[in-house]
Every structure is written in C-alpha cells, then in structure tokens.
Amino acid sequence: MYGVHKLLWDIRRDGAIKSLYTETPEVALDSYGIEGSFRTLMADFDIKGLYEAGVNPYLLYFCAIQLEVDRADYYARIRGETTP
C-alpha cells in the first residue's frame, strides 16, 4: 500500500513521474514495487477498485485531477458508473 500511496503522491507533485506513469505504467509500477492486485488497479487507474482496496481517498482524488480526470468523471468512476 505504501508504494501505491507514494506513487499517487509523486504523480501529483512531479511531472516526470506523471509522464512515466502515463507513458509506461509498467516501469512506474516496477520502480515503486507495486505488485499483485494493486498493480492491476494502478495500471488501469481503477478509481473504484483503488478506493475499495483502502487507498487514501485524498491522494486518489488529487492524483486523478493531475491525470486530468474530469471531476464529474471521477465521481462516476468511483461509484462504478463508468470505467477509464
């Protein structure tokens, strides 16, 4: 979980990490040691799945903003109404 939280934080704060994650998510996930179900959830940026897995909602929301997820889309996705 720490790796996921750290990656979400870094995407929000560091443009290079954001680019790495959006262009080659596998490399970003490897560099943060994210494995298992969290790896799949982060690779797909499954907002609802991440939230339900216990990811910090503050970090999740502000990372979504940095990844240019529209606010209405974010809320629809967290409710499971749409997917990325």
Side-chain angles (χ1 to χ4, degrees), residues 31-42:
S31 66
Y32 283 81
I34 299 170
E35 300 176 345
S37 61
F38 283 114
R39 186 177 185 88
T40 303
L41 293 169
M42 280 300 299

Side-chain angles (χ1 to χ4, degrees), residues 58-80:
Y58 172 84
L59 293 175
L60 187 58
Y61 177 73
F62 286 103
C63 179
I65 289 172
Q66 188 64 28
L67 293 173
E68 300 174 15
V69 175
D70 177 74
R71 182 180 291 189
D73 184 38
Y74 172 84
Y75 288 118
R77 287 167 61 178
I78 205 165
R79 290 189 301 264

Side-chain angles (χ1 to χ4, degrees), residues 1-83:
M1 178 77 75
Y2 175 78
V4 172
H5 285 155
K6 178 78 170 124
L7 177 56
L8 292 172
W9 177 262
D10 289 349
I11 289 170
R12 182 174 171 252
R13 306 272 300 161
D14 186 333
I17 300 298
K18 174 188 171 187
S19 294
L20 178 67
Y21 175 73
T22 57
E23 295 168 14
T24 54
E26 303 82 19
V27 173
L29 298 171
D30 286 344
S31 66
Y32 283 81
I34 299 170
E35 300 176 345
S37 61
F38 283 114
R39 186 177 185 88
T40 303
L41 293 169
M42 280 300 299
D44 297 337
F45 199 59
D46 180 346
I47 293 171
K48 182 177 186 197
L50 288 163
Y51 177 77
E52 289 176 345
V55 169
N56 181 299
Y58 172 84
L59 293 175
L60 187 58
Y61 177 73
F62 286 103
C63 179
I65 289 172
Q66 188 64 28
L67 293 173
E68 300 174 15
V69 175
D70 177 74
R71 182 180 291 189
D73 184 38
Y74 172 84
Y75 288 118
R77 287 167 61 178
I78 205 165
R79 290 189 301 264
E81 298 170 359
T82 62
T83 57

